[in-house]
Amino acid sequence: MIPSGRAGARAVHALTATVLAGLLTYVVLALVSRSVSATEFDQFSVFWSLALIIGFGFFLPVEQEAARLSRSGPDEPALYPVMMRVTAAIVAFVVVLVGIASPLLHGVLGLPPMLILACALVAVASGIQFAARGRLLAESRTTAFTNVLIADTILRVALFAVVAFASATLLGSDADVAFAFALIVAIVAAHAWVVPWTRWSPYDPRLGRTFAAAVAFLVGTSLCAQILVNAGPILIKALADSPGLAGAFQASSTLARIPLAMITPIQAMLVGPLAALAVAGDHAQVERMMRRVAFAALGLAAVGGLVGWLAGPWLVELIFGPGRALSGPDIALLVIGVVVHVTLIILTQAVIATGRHRGALIAWAIALFAGAVVFVATLPAGPVLAVELGFGIGSLIGALVAYALVARLARVGHVPEPIEEEG
């Protein structure tokens, strides 16, 4: 057992790292916003959204499942060949998918060919990124995990600063492409040395099936989550005629996502402690924790919404430059939606921790479906408001479903089951 003082120091280190990473993300996007035109920032905003969907949608499940399985038996080296095979298969699938979608990305969203190529390379970089992070979590190296997170973010800032400096004289209209490739280089440089390229045990087919089945469920879950939270700039770019509107939405939603920026890098780290409670059969404690989360979210949504309404436009333009802000009411809706979305993330982590991957997928699928219905129903009021309402209401409905699942598990006293037995 880790002494409490050491555990506390690790928790402080993790919190400091995630806060720093979240703050530096604003620096990264501010460098882009202040270095390119409105049209170029629209294009980069679409790329950024696609990169988040690809990275966290397809590859975060590898990290999550490596963290979960490491708590339930397999030695870390036994996980490596399984993790790497699944990661390689996902990389290949996403690269092919980007190729198939390239006419749509170019014709409808207006992405230039080099940004489409960057989307494919994001899949490769994300495979490296999340395989490395999965290894660190499987080995319970939380300090190294957060150090890599800091290194990744600092590299992004440094490379983006170089591109921003060069954009005025050397890059011209290609600056958005240069920023995209800087992102890819930073991710690979920060993570490649951690990937278990050679430290493998013999491949275990049974473990491979278990891992692949769990990741398949989690990919569905993560894709629903990432589409729900990141599709806004893509939809606005496709549907709105106003240049700069997609970029303004990206800048405003980025400011609104402060709670999400803090929780996303460590959400896989929530699985281990929650899984320990589940294995111990303490489902009532899990439910009590989730109830506190729900009440805290209500208060944070009220305060955050008010701050977003009154100060949001000023803060967005202070960070990202003139003309990058939506209205106060729009930012307030985004802040409230983000708080609800973070609640949904935490609740579904509790469901995943009990081994019920299917339940988490159901909650996220319902959230995405509800969000899509709300978006279509409110589209006549404008794509920005439709995206905001779809995101917030969809997340709320998904959170209610996830809470009901946690409450049910607490009542019936389920323990985690093998993924193969669920399907």
Side-chain angles (χ1 to χ4, degrees), residues 31-54:
L31 286 169
V32 181
S33 177
R34 291 178 175 274
S35 303
V36 299
S37 67
T39 299
E40 290 171 320
F41 192 54
D42 282 350
Q43 291 180 168
F44 185 85
S45 296
V46 171
F47 163 78
W48 184 267
S49 297
L50 290 171
L52 291 173
I53 291 170
I54 289 170

Side-chain angles (χ1 to χ4, degrees), residues 6-16 142:
R6 187 177 172 192
R10 289 184 176 182
V12 170
H13 183 72
L15 178 61
T16 302
T142 53

Side-chain angles (χ1 to χ4, degrees), residues 7-166:
R10 289 184 176 182
V12 170
H13 183 72
L15 178 61
T16 302
T18 52
V19 170
L20 178 62
L23 292 175
L24 290 181
T25 297
Y26 294 92
V27 176
V28 164
L29 288 176
L31 286 169
V32 181
S33 177
R34 291 178 175 274
S35 303
V36 299
S37 67
T39 299
E40 290 171 320
F41 192 54
D42 282 350
Q43 291 180 168
F44 185 85
S45 296
V46 171
F47 163 78
W48 184 267
S49 297
L50 290 171
L52 291 173
I53 291 170
I54 289 170
F56 287 100
F58 285 99
F59 294 96
L60 177 63
V62 172
E63 173 190 326
Q64 290 177 310
E65 191 58 16
R68 192 186 76 89
L69 280 182
S70 68
R71 298 298 184 103
S72 59
D75 295 331
E76 292 87 2
L79 285 174
Y80 295 154
V82 168
M83 182 177 69
M84 294 300 287
R85 284 196 187 190
V86 171
T87 300
I90 298 173
V91 169
F93 175 78
V94 176
V95 169
V96 171
L97 189 61
V98 170
I100 293 172
S102 58
L104 178 66
L105 296 175
H106 180 67
V108 176
L109 297 176
L111 292 189
M114 291 302 291
L115 273 185
I116 296 173
L117 174 61
C119 289
L121 293 177
V122 162
V124 179
S126 296
I128 293 171
Q129 177 184 16
F130 287 98
R133 288 161 51 137
R135 173 194 172 181
L136 293 175
L137 289 181
E139 296 175 358
S140 298
R141 295 167 59 187
T142 53
T143 300
F145 179 93
T146 50
N147 286 340
V148 168
L149 177 64
I150 293 172
D152 179 17
T153 312
I154 291 175
L155 276 172
R156 295 185 192 194
V157 171
L159 292 176
F160 275 49
V162 170
V163 174
F165 179 77

Side-chain angles (χ1 to χ4, degrees), residues 82-347:
V82 168
M83 182 177 69
M84 294 300 287
R85 284 196 187 190
V86 171
T87 300
I90 298 173
V91 169
F93 175 78
V94 176
V95 169
V96 171
L97 189 61
V98 170
I100 293 172
S102 58
L104 178 66
L105 296 175
H106 180 67
V108 176
L109 297 176
L111 292 189
M114 291 302 291
L115 273 185
I116 296 173
L117 174 61
C119 289
L121 293 177
V122 162
V124 179
S126 296
I128 293 171
Q129 177 184 16
F130 287 98
R133 288 161 51 137
R135 173 194 172 181
L136 293 175
L137 289 181
E139 296 175 358
S140 298
R141 295 167 59 187
T142 53
T143 300
F145 179 93
T146 50
N147 286 340
V148 168
L149 177 64
I150 293 172
D152 179 17
T153 312
I154 291 175
L155 276 172
R156 295 185 192 194
V157 171
L159 292 176
F160 275 49
V162 170
V163 174
F165 179 77
S167 63
T169 56
L170 301 176
L171 296 172
S173 61
D174 293 328
D176 54 344
V177 174
F179 280 118
F181 279 87
L183 172 67
I184 294 164
V185 171
I187 293 172
V188 173
H191 295 89
W193 64 277
V194 185
V195 175
W197 300 108
T198 58
R199 292 182 57 194
W200 290 9
S201 298
Y203 182 78
D204 182 346
R206 185 176 183 279
L207 180 59
R209 289 192 297 271
T210 300
F211 192 92
V215 168
F217 275 111
L218 290 174
V219 164
T221 299
S222 294
L223 276 177
C224 289
Q226 294 304 315
I227 292 171
L228 184 63
V229 75
N230 290 308
I234 300 171
L235 293 170
I236 292 168
K237 180 69 167 61
L239 297 172
D241 295 328
S242 302
L245 188 58
F249 183 91
Q250 183 70 267
S252 299
S253 63
T254 298
L255 179 69
R257 290 181 193 182
I258 290 176
L260 188 60
M262 302 307 171
I263 196 67
T264 296
I266 61 168
Q267 60 180 293
M269 296 172 65
L270 298 174
V271 176
L274 289 171
L277 285 173
V279 170
D282 196 355
H283 298 277
Q285 178 63 18
V286 173
E287 186 183 14
R288 282 194 292 272
M289 290 172 59
M290 295 305 100
R291 190 180 296 117
R292 294 190 190 106
V293 167
F295 282 115
L298 287 174
L300 185 58
V303 174
L306 180 61
V307 172
W309 188 308
L310 298 177
W314 175 78
L315 286 171
V316 171
E317 295 202 346
L318 177 67
I319 297 170
F320 298 100
R324 300 295 195 218
L326 298 178
S327 68
D330 284 321
I331 296 175
L333 282 176
L334 285 170
V335 171
I336 293 170
V338 165
V339 172
V340 176
H341 190 82
V342 170
T343 306
L344 173 56
I345 290 174
I346 297 173
L347 289 169

